[in-house]
């Protein structure tokens, strides 16, 4: 039976640790194995607490759970270690909050994997390309450039790709990731080096991706999708660390870059949907109790857990191939406008990061190295300098971390740090976040107003 508490009673379980970090104490929700925490600035802090206050005033909010409650519910999952962490763009999602990171001890037979901790758009992520163009090169042709991008990259719900793909190609792409793109001539050899997981999750098994998921994915390769996905021509506005930026080939203010944000499309959504059905059955069999049915999960060692991880890896590989295909199309689109080649435009890839993924990693807990299954949902890996899993180019600076902006606001390129490694297992936020739900945005924003505001900028 759920206990209804007042807002003031709830606040007794929330404690401010420092300027940007809040702790969620055990007891905030039932069965918490570890504490929760979340990192916010003043604006996001107000949104988080408003969300909690509204939930206390309206306990029957149609199944809606505020982000704090979701972080705490994740802290109650079997096998979780350290903390359930909310990153700075945290907001309410399915099961896990979006911007929620949690790690599970692989040596604990009761540890679970939860599709809600990865999300429906498996390996949604961001890729950044640099160019040797500057803003004054692009301004006179920006309309043609935008049109060329639209002509080359299919966009929107139901869009179909222009990259030729047979059923056999799809099977190989699910298994090989970017290695498929390299073989087919859609990638540069160095692209693979500058991609998280080197563009291929090795445990992928195409047999664990259902026929329905494959049917949805087959026509969509090389497509952007809808919602918050974008392919955006960007200009370097400010450089904070010239040493790190030069390592990435970001050399001057006014330099033109291209950021691509997309994921695994309908294929990944179907992989998640299929897994949730199987996991509800596994939970009954293994008597796994969770605070929220959206946190459906299975023991990592179970058949359902392993099947999901192999299918998820296949969907992640599909997303790597999808972004690689759009990268290829972007290079063609830009080169066409400037009547030259992508090589002459220096269109090298800076990095490609994943947002929605679960991965087996080594981390230090209480002075001991542990093997963990790290769920990152709406959050970005941010490994520090000298970490063996980041490219040689970035060993001295730390992994590039790509934080996408919303329309009309800046995107950021950051680097991973040792402090982030110890506090959040090398994880940070993934983008601008969301102050309003999509439905509320549609109700409150007129698209004419949005377009005119963007035009003014």
């Amino acid at each position: 039976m759920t206990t209804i508490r007042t807002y003031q009673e709830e606040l007794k379980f929330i404690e401010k640790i420092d300027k940007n970090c809040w702790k969620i104490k055990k007891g905030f929700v039932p069965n918490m194995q570890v504490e929760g925490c979340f990192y916010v600035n003043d604006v996001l802090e107000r949104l988080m607490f408003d969300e909690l206050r509204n939930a206390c005033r309206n306990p029957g909010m149609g199944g809606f759970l505020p982000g704090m409650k979701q972080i705490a519910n994740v802290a109650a999952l079997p096998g979780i270690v350290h903390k359930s962490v909310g990153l700075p763009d945290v907001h309410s999602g399915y099961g896990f909050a979006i911007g929620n990171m949690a790690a599970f001890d692989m040596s604990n037979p009761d540890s679970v994997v939860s599709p809600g901790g990865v999300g429906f758009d498996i390996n949604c992520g961001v890729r950044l390309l640099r160019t040797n163009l500057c803003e004054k090169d692009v301004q006179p042709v920006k309309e043609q450039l935008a049109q060329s991008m639209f002509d080359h990259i299919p966009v929107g719900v139901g869009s179909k790709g222009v990259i030729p793909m047979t059923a056999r190609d799809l099977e190989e792409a699910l298994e090989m990731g970017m290695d498929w793109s390299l073989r087919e001539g859609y990638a540069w050899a160095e692209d693979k080096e500058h991609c998280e997981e080197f563009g291929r999750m090795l445990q992928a098994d195409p047999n664990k991706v259902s026929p329905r998921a494959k049917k949805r994915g087959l026509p969509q390769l090389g497509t952007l999708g809808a919602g918050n996905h974008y392919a955006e021509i960007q200009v370097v506005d400010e450089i904070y660390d010239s040493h790190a930026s030069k390592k990435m080939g970001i050399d001057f203010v006014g330099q033109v870059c291209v950021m691509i944000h997309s994921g695994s499309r309908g294929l990944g959504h179907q992989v998640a949907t299929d897994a949730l059905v199987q996991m509800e059955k596994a939970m009954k069999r293994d008597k796994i109790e969770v605070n929220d049915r959206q946190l459906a999960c299975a023991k990592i060692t179970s058949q359902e857990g392993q099947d999901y991880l192999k299918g998820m890896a296949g969907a992640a590989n599909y997303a790597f191939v999808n972004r690689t295909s759009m990268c290829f199309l972007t290079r063609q689109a830009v080169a066409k406008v400037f009547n030259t080649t992508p090589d002459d435009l220096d269109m090298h890839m800076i990095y490609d990061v994943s947002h929605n993924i679960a991965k087996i990693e080594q981390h230090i807990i209480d002075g001991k190295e542990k093997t963990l299954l790290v769920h990152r949902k709406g959050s970005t890996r941010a490994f520090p300098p000298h970490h063996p899993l980041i490219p040689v180019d970035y060993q001295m600076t730390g992994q590039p971390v790509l934080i996408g902006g919303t329309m009309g606001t800046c995107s950021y390129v950051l680097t991973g740090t040792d402090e982030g490694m110890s506090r959040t297992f090398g994880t940070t936020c993934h983008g601008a976040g969301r102050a309003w739900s999509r439905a509320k945005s549609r109700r409150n924003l007129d698209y004419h107003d949005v377009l005119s505001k963007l035009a003014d900028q």
Side-chain angles (χ1 to χ4, degrees):
M1 189 172 182
T2 305
T3 305
I4 305 295
R5 290 194 295 238
T6 65
Y7 178 62
Q8 292 305 318
E9 288 170 328
E10 296 280 39
L11 290 182
K12 292 175 185 174
F13 293 92
I14 314 293
E15 179 186 339
K16 192 163 192 175
I17 302 299
D18 59 39
K19 182 171 178 282
N20 296 116
C21 183
W22 290 79
K23 176 166 75 175
I24 303 173
K25 299 175 191 173
K26 289 184 181 180
F28 186 59
V29 301
N31 306 317
M32 287 175 70
Q33 310 289 308
V34 296
E35 292 178 334
C37 70
F38 57 96
Y39 294 88
V40 285
N41 63 9
D42 294 340
V43 176
L44 292 167
E45 179 184 305
R46 193 164 60 248
L47 289 170
M48 289 285 279
F49 281 92
D50 284 349
E51 201 176 55
L52 181 65
R53 185 186 293 108
N54 291 337
C56 291
R57 285 175 181 161
N58 308 290
M61 290 169 71
F64 166 81
L65 280 174
M68 277 190 228
K69 287 286 185 184
Q70 291 192 309
I71 293 167
N73 283 338
V74 169
L77 289 173
I80 189 171
V81 293
H82 186 58
K83 293 181 177 77
S84 171
V85 180
L87 285 316
D89 55 354
V90 62
H91 53 283
S92 183
Y94 182 93
F96 278 57
I98 297 163
N100 198 172
M101 186 283 306
F104 297 80
D105 186 354
M106 294 288 288
S107 66
N108 182 342
D110 293 325
S111 287
V112 296
V113 57
S114 174
V118 172
F120 284 93
D121 192 0
I122 294 167
N123 190 10
C124 178
V126 169
R127 172 173 298 214
L128 184 64
L129 304 176
R130 69 177 194 245
T131 75
N132 56 19
L133 296 166
C134 58
E135 187 175 4
K136 64 180 174 52
D137 298 322
V138 169
Q139 279 290 0
V141 294
K142 63 182 181 183
E143 299 293 339
Q144 296 98 298
L145 191 53
Q147 190 58 54
S148 185
M149 294 279 281
F150 271 110
D151 290 345
H152 282 75
I153 301 173
V155 62
V157 178
S159 54
K160 293 185 177 177
V162 296
I163 300 285
M165 173 152 283
T166 65
R168 182 176 175 181
D169 286 326
L170 179 61
E171 294 285 329
E172 292 175 346
L174 290 169
E175 183 177 348
M176 296 170 64
M178 274 182 73
D179 287 338
W180 181 86
S181 302
L182 269 170
R183 190 190 73 190
E184 299 297 317
Y186 297 119
W188 295 358
E190 68 186 51
D191 292 351
K192 183 177 162 67
E193 293 294 314
H194 290 167
C195 190
E196 188 171 331
E197 292 296 305
F198 302 103
R200 179 178 185 177
M201 293 193 74
L202 295 173
Q203 71 267 48
D205 182 351
N207 296 318
K208 304 303 182 186
V209 177
S210 70
R212 177 163 172 72
K214 290 170 183 172
K215 184 179 179 183
R216 291 181 69 179
L218 186 59
Q220 291 185 329
L221 194 78
T223 64
L224 195 59
N228 61 348
H229 294 150
Y230 57 79
E232 188 171 271
I233 311 292
Q234 301 182 336
V235 174
V236 176
D237 191 53
E238 191 171 353
I239 293 173
Y240 301 91
D241 182 336
S242 58
H243 172 69
S245 70
K246 278 187 165 51
K247 283 284 182 189
M248 299 177 202
I250 299 173
D251 295 322
F252 57 93
V253 171
Q255 184 175 348
V256 171
C257 297
V258 184
M259 186 174 275
I260 298 167
H261 176 205
S262 192
S264 52
R265 306 289 277 113
L267 182 140
H269 196 285
Q270 193 63 47
V271 167
T273 303
D274 294 340
L276 287 166
V277 173
Q278 295 306 312
M279 286 188 180
E280 288 199 2
K281 297 173 187 171
M283 286 171 67
K284 287 177 185 166
R285 182 194 66 216
D286 295 333
K287 298 181 172 54
I288 299 171
E289 300 283 337
V290 293
N291 290 342
D292 176 8
R293 66 183 297 271
Q294 290 185 357
L295 290 171
C297 56
K299 291 182 180 182
I300 296 170
T301 52
S302 69
Q303 186 68 52
E304 293 84 0
Q306 288 298 303
D307 285 353
Y308 170 68
L309 286 170
K310 290 171 183 175
M312 180 211 71
N317 285 345
Y318 178 94
F320 283 134
V321 172
N322 191 35
R323 287 198 291 280
T324 301
S325 301
M326 283 186 283
C327 177
F328 169 80
L329 295 168
T330 296
R331 284 167 170 157
Q332 303 304 310
V334 177
K336 185 178 180 183
V337 171
F338 290 95
N339 196 27
T340 184
T341 66
D343 204 32
D344 285 340
L345 290 174
D346 193 26
M347 294 190 74
H348 295 283
M349 189 170 116
I350 292 171
Y351 207 59
D352 181 298
V353 293
S354 307
H355 290 160
N356 293 350
I357 204 108
K359 293 197 295 192
I360 297 168
E361 296 173 358
Q362 307 296 317
H363 290 277
I364 305 293
I365 299 179
D366 300 327
K368 294 179 183 173
E369 187 171 84
K370 292 249 183 190
T371 303
L372 308 176
L373 182 67
V374 183
H375 294 59
R376 292 188 179 95
K377 178 181 181 178
S379 53
T380 307
R381 193 186 76 176
F383 281 177
H386 314 302
H387 195 284
L389 291 181
I390 61 176
V392 173
D393 303 17
Y394 304 134
Q395 280 291 308
M396 302 304 288
T397 60
Q399 178 206 309
V401 179
L402 311 176
I403 311 293
T406 188
M407 283 191 298
T409 67
C410 290
S411 298
Y412 289 84
V413 183
L414 316 177
T415 52
T417 65
D418 289 314
E419 185 181 0
M421 199 68 176
S422 61
R423 283 192 176 212
T424 63
F425 296 133
T427 314
T428 188
C429 63
H430 85 305
R434 182 179 294 136
W436 290 351
S437 70
R438 291 178 187 184
K440 186 177 179 183
S441 297
R442 278 194 290 270
R443 287 195 302 272
N444 288 277
L445 293 173
D446 181 273
Y447 80 93
H448 293 105
D449 294 339
V450 174
L451 286 174
S452 63
K453 185 180 176 185
L454 288 170
D456 289 343
Q457 286 179 290

